[in-house]
Amino acid sequence: MSEQFNAKTIASRLTTAWLGRSLHMLDSIDSTNTWLQARVNADIAAGTVVVTNYQQQGRGRLGRHWEAPPGSSLLFSSLFRPEWPGQRAAWLTMIAGVACVRAVADVTDLAMRLKWPNDLMLQLDGTWHKSGGILLESAIAGDRIQHAIVGIGLNVNIEAGALPATLPPATSLLLASGKRQSRTELLASILQHMETLYSAAATGTSPHAAWETYLLTRQQPVTVRVGTQTLHGFAENTDGYGRLRVRDRKGALHIIAAGDVTLRESETEPSDGTEDSST
Ligand code: BT5
């Protein structure tokens, strides 16, 4: 029997002080990020969370789609009004990533890891698969973050045949653990970890050190795509704002704020440094 997943069951498991205490559960919606975006200038409280069973237009970064069959996944967004310096926006992605890793460890016996900048990864048959993603949308005025909407999509109980055909390959907690998992327990735990990490960040404690310990994308050969540019190099680590530090084979250091990364098993790819893949 599938678990009850509604506002009442979620509220009954919630341990947070403020995150998710205002919670909207909608059976079907275009996108939880879009829903909050449309209301952000109204008098909607920081800590508001919107959850859905199905998104008709789930979004990834750069206009990409997020796909999940009805009732299979965690699909939710949280609103924050941090008023932190703009450079710290990536802290919210870090907070969400660390919270997911810790919640998955609490509720299941799986060791989730993170792929820069926003992927939630699980190992299946010895290779890393994408099991979720984070979509951060923030508004910065002057040097301050006015608001930030943190959307999380986590593949909980998606069966093999229902996964989107993607690169990196997709998986779910069900497939990686061999059993169905409770969306309610996972959501309550993610929100608790996010609240704890956010409260620490609000008083100046960066989530960066914790985030980096879970990051697969360091001390690794990588290929990074930023727009039409492709860079082959070695991901050394990240800086305090979450930017990836990649050393190319000529020894030059590239500091990358946003892009897509492929982990490379070995240094077999051609080319040094950057190339333009648009030609
Ligand atoms: C992300 O973007 O990974 C961020 C995904 C955030 C989704 C949540 S759901 C709740 C909230 N409301 C929204 O509308 N969005 C957020 P990106 O790094 O751009 O990756 C997108 C790519 O992931 C797609 O182009 C596909 O290749 C792949 N993909 C789509 N659905 C997937 C899934 N269920 N599992 C794994 N990969 C998927």
Side-chain angles (χ1 to χ4, degrees):
M1 214 179 78
S2 66
E3 78 166 323
Q4 294 271 318
F5 186 64
N6 55 47
K8 206 167 152 192
T9 54
I10 295 166
S12 75
R13 303 304 300 159
L14 222 50
T15 54
T16 53
W18 51 269
L19 184 57
R21 288 293 163 184
S22 166
L23 186 130
H24 302 261
M25 172 80 207
L26 302 152
D27 196 45
S28 172
I29 191 178
D30 50 359
S31 143
T32 55
N33 266 49
T34 305
W35 192 93
L36 275 178
Q37 202 69 263
R39 288 159 182 82
V40 75
N41 293 323
D43 192 16
I44 190 164
T48 298
V49 171
V50 56
V51 191
T52 192
N53 270 317
Y54 181 64
Q55 298 183 125
Q56 296 116 27
Q57 289 172 348
R59 296 194 280 113
R61 295 172 301 147
L62 306 167
R64 296 177 191 141
H65 297 292
W66 189 257
E67 296 164 36
S72 67
S73 299
L74 271 182
L75 305 163
F76 68 102
S77 301
S78 309
L79 174 67
F80 299 95
R81 298 190 188 277
E83 299 194 358
W84 302 343
Q87 264 193 315
R88 291 190 185 171
W91 281 20
L92 291 150
T93 302
M94 296 181 196
I95 287 168
V98 172
C100 288
V101 170
R102 291 184 175 167
V104 165
D106 286 350
V107 176
T108 76
D109 52 12
L110 295 170
M112 176 174 270
R113 290 293 176 264
L114 306 171
K115 184 162 88 62
W116 187 90
N118 67 322
D119 289 347
L120 308 174
M121 308 295 284
L122 286 173
Q123 214 166 25
L124 189 70
D125 303 330
T127 56
W128 290 102
H129 289 55
K130 181 161 171 171
S131 60
I134 299 161
L135 178 65
L136 169 68
E137 295 181 303
S138 54
I140 298 174
D143 180 40
R144 298 274 139 184
I145 305 171
Q146 296 299 294
H147 68 254
I149 295 168
V150 181
I152 298 178
L154 179 61
N155 300 339
V156 181
N157 294 317
I158 308 188
E159 309 275 353
L163 284 166
T166 56
L167 263 183
T171 194
S172 65
L173 299 186
L174 164 69
L175 295 169
S177 69
K179 58 182 184 210
R180 294 181 71 80
Q181 302 290 345
S182 163
R183 287 189 289 160
T184 312
E185 298 301 329
L186 286 161
L187 178 60
S189 182
I190 293 171
L191 292 176
Q192 180 58 64
H193 284 294
M194 276 180 44
E195 181 177 286
T196 303
L197 290 155
Y198 182 90
S199 301
T203 55
T205 305
S206 168
H208 175 252
W211 179 71
E212 210 179 48
T213 61
Y214 299 131
L215 208 58
L216 298 171
T217 325
R218 64 191 176 111
Q219 296 299 301
Q220 274 270 2
V222 291
T223 298
V224 188
R225 294 196 170 78
V226 184
T228 57
Q229 292 283 310
T230 301
L231 166 68
H232 304 291
F234 189 77
E236 293 186 341
N237 55 10
T238 55
D239 68 14
Y241 300 114
R243 294 176 300 192
L244 194 63
R245 292 158 50 89
V246 179
R247 183 85 55 186
D248 71 27
R249 283 177 222 156
K250 291 176 182 154
L253 186 63
H254 303 254
I255 297 181
I256 299 160
D260 288 296
V261 168
T262 311
L263 299 173
R264 287 187 285 125
E265 302 299 322
S266 62
E267 288 275 19
T268 52
E269 297 220 10
S271 161
D272 299 340
T274 58
E275 65 193 41
D276 191 329
S277 61
S278 66
T279 52

